[in-house]
Amino acid sequence: MVDAALGFSVHWAMPDDRSLATLDMRIDRLHPPLPRRDVLCRATCLGFDEHVAYVRGEIYHDQPAEPFAIAVGTIMF
């Protein structure tokens, strides 16, 4: 889910339709997720250059401002 969210953030930020591939992704857990709760992810494309985009995501239950994990990655196109 996190990889897809990060990829879609790049796809929507691009001016044209390009193929994407995840080069690197890291997920840092801030605290354990709660059992039997929905898990959501909000992703943001921070910027891109000629071939690589830089992305960040928050993984959370109810509030994006209160994530239980943070994801960062680079996506090639």
Side-chain angles (χ1 to χ4, degrees):
M1 171 188 72
V2 176
D3 186 35
L6 296 177
F8 275 114
S9 74
V10 174
H11 180 72
W12 290 321
M14 299 300 298
D16 55 4
D17 190 25
R18 300 181 189 187
S19 296
L20 304 174
T22 301
L23 286 175
D24 183 52
M25 181 175 61
R26 175 181 169 151
I27 299 174
D28 293 317
R29 189 180 82 171
L30 304 173
H31 58 81
L34 300 173
R36 302 187 189 281
R37 301 281 301 273
D38 290 340
V39 174
L40 304 168
C41 179
R42 179 177 69 178
T44 305
C45 179
L46 301 172
F48 50 87
D49 57 25
E50 188 176 351
H51 298 288
V52 178
Y54 307 94
V55 292
R56 179 179 193 276
E58 297 86 26
I59 302 103
Y60 61 96
H61 291 301
D62 297 316
Q63 299 296 324
E66 300 173 5
F68 61 82
I70 300 291
V72 293
T74 52
I75 307 230
M76 177 180 74
F77 43 86

